Amino acid sequence: MFGKTPQQESSDDSWAGSRKEWQLIEKVVMANTAELKKQRRWGIVFKLLTFIYLFALLWLFISNSDIGVGVPAKTGGHTAIVDVRGLISQSEPANADAIVTSLRNAMDHEDTRAVIVRINSGGGSPVQSAYVYDEIQRLRSLHEDIPIHAVIADTGASGAYYIASATENIYANGSSLVGSIGVTAASFGFEELIEKVGIERRSFASGEHKTFLDPFQPVDPEERALFEALLDNVHQQFISDVKEGRGDRLVTDNDKLFSGLVWTGTQALELGLVDGLKSTSELARELGYPNTVDFTLRPSPLQQFARNLGVSVAETLVKLGATESIELR
C-alpha cells in the first residue's frame, strides 16, 4: 500500500477542520434556537398571566362595584342591613351617596320587611350626616310599613348618632359608646415656628377675613369669635334634629346631654338616647325576620386595591394643606 501524499493529508486536515467549524456553528445555532424558543414560551406565559390578572381585576370591578351581588331576588321576607362604618366623609366608604343608595335599594326590595342601620362610627362630616338623616326621614314617610331602626356596635357618636336619631328606634350594647353631640374643628398654629426658622410668609387675599384660618398667622380675637359662632350654629342644627328624631324620649333636663360628652349604652338608655340594649341579630329575630341581607354599598376591589397602594396618601396631603373642616366628632 502506498501512503497518502502531502496534498491528500493537507486536504484531509482541511476537511476535518471545516467539519469541526460546522459542528460548532451548528451547536451555536441550535443553542440560540432553543433559547429563542424558551424566551417565546416564557413570553407567552407572562402575557397570559397578565391577561388573566387584568381580566380578574375587571371582573371583580364589574361584579362588586355596585350593590346587588349576593342579594337574592327572593327571600320570602328578610331584615335588610345597611352599615355605617368608619369616618363619615365624602371621600370615605361611609359617605352620604353610598349610604343613601344602600338604603333605597334595601327599601325597594320586595321582600324587605325591616331595615337596620348598623353603626360603628365616631362621626365625621355634619353635611354628610345631615344628608343621610334627611333621607331616612323621607324613606320612613314613603314606606310606613317598613320600619327603620339603628343598632350601635362599638361606637355611635357625633355624626353617627346624628344619623341614628333619624330612625324609629336606636339600640346599643351596654358597653357601646353613644352620644358626643357636639361640633369640633381643630388645626395647628405655626407662626412662631416660621419666625424661628427664618421663613417669610407671603399671603395675598381679597377680603378682610379671607385668611382667618391660615395656620401661619396668629388668631385674631374677632375671627375666633366669628368661627365659634359658626360652630355653635352647626351645633344647634345638630341638637334640633336630634330632638326632632328622638322626641320626648330624651331626658332634656340633663344639662350635659348636648355638651359633647359620650355615654355608655347603659347610660344612654337612662338618658333616652337609645331605646334598648340589643344586637343586630337579636333585633332581627324580635322583628320576626331573622334572615338578614346586607345591602351595604361597598368599594369595588379595584378601588380598595388602589387605596391600599397609597392613592389615599395624595388625598391626605391635600387635606393637610387645606383649611380645617368642621366635623361632628
Side-chain angles (χ1 to χ4, degrees):
M1 296 181 65
F2 297 98
K4 293 183 178 180
T5 64
Q7 293 81 359
Q8 289 175 328
E9 289 180 353
S10 175
S11 177
D12 290 343
D13 291 340
S14 177
W15 168 252
S18 298
R19 185 176 181 183
K20 288 181 180 179
E21 290 177 358
W22 279 107
Q23 287 176 342
L24 180 60
I25 293 173
E26 184 180 6
K27 287 181 180 179
V28 171
V29 171
M30 294 299 294
N32 187 52
T33 303
E35 186 64 27
L36 290 174
K37 288 181 178 180
K38 186 184 295 184
Q39 290 179 359
R40 192 181 303 114
R41 284 197 298 268
W42 279 111
I44 294 172
V45 170
F46 283 129
K47 289 178 182 177
L48 183 61
L49 289 174
T50 302
F51 175 78
I52 293 173
Y53 176 72
L54 294 175
F55 180 80
L57 283 180
L58 179 62
W59 180 83
L60 287 172
F61 176 75
I62 294 173
S63 63
N64 292 279
S65 60
D66 203 352
I67 191 132
V69 176
V71 176
K74 295 283 186 179
T75 65
H78 63 259
T79 299
I81 305 295
V82 174
D83 281 330
V84 177
R85 183 180 301 172
L87 180 65
I88 300 169
S89 169
Q90 186 176 11
S91 60
E92 298 293 332
N95 63 79
D97 287 340
I99 298 170
V100 166
T101 300
S102 303
L103 287 168
R104 290 174 182 172
N105 287 334
M107 300 295 277
D108 289 341
H109 196 289
E110 62 179 352
D111 287 337
T112 296
R113 300 293 181 263
V115 176
I116 295 177
V117 182
R118 186 168 54 191
I119 294 173
N120 193 3
S121 168
S125 163
V127 176
Q128 297 290 303
S129 301
Y131 283 160
V132 180
Y133 177 99
D134 292 340
E135 182 63 15
I136 291 176
Q137 295 280 46
R138 188 186 75 87
L139 290 173
R140 286 181 61 189
S141 64
L142 289 177
H143 304 272
E144 296 182 357
D145 57 326
I146 304 177
I148 304 177
H149 303 288
V151 173
I152 295 172
D154 297 294
T155 306
S158 212
Y161 184 79
Y162 194 164
I163 292 173
S165 65
T167 65
E168 187 172 322
N169 290 300
I170 305 173
Y171 300 94
N173 182 270
S175 299
S176 301
L177 298 180
V178 181
S180 187
I181 302 173
V183 183
T184 182
S187 68
F188 297 93
F190 302 104
E191 65 271 13
E192 294 184 6
L193 175 62
I194 62 173
E195 288 180 5
K196 291 180 179 179
V197 177
I199 299 175
E200 179 186 357
R201 171 68 169 166
R202 297 174 181 174
S203 178
F204 308 95
S206 176
E208 181 182 356
H209 300 291
K210 186 62 179 177
T211 60
F212 81 100
L213 293 176
D214 190 336
F216 296 99
Q217 295 183 4
V219 178
D220 181 87
E222 180 186 359
E223 292 176 342
R224 179 189 291 275
L226 289 171
F227 193 58
E228 288 177 347
L230 184 151
L231 295 178
D232 185 63
N233 183 267
V234 176
H235 189 201
Q236 291 305 316
Q237 293 179 39
F238 187 3
I239 294 172
S240 176
D241 285 341
V242 169
K243 285 183 174 180
E244 179 183 350
R246 297 299 295 163
D248 57 8
R249 289 173 288 186
L250 289 173
V251 181
T252 53
D253 59 353
N254 187 319
D255 59 356
K256 300 294 185 182
L257 190 63
F258 304 119
S259 67
L261 287 175
V262 67
W263 318 88
T264 67
T266 302
Q267 292 171 324
L269 181 60
E270 296 174 355
L271 293 170
L273 293 171
V274 302
D275 299 285
L277 304 178
K278 293 183 177 70
S279 66
T280 300
S281 57
E282 184 180 0
L283 178 58
R285 288 194 299 270
E286 291 189 4
L287 292 171
Y289 300 96
N291 180 27
T292 60
V293 179
D294 193 347
F295 281 81
T296 308
L297 185 68
R298 305 187 188 280
S300 70
L302 186 60
Q303 292 170 326
Q304 192 63 46
F305 180 69
R307 289 175 65 85
N308 292 338
L309 280 179
V311 175
S312 58
V313 172
E315 298 176 353
T316 303
L317 292 175
V318 171
K319 291 177 184 177
L320 290 174
T323 58
E324 58 257 72
S325 59
I326 299 173
E327 292 188 352
L328 302 180
R329 301 191 73 183

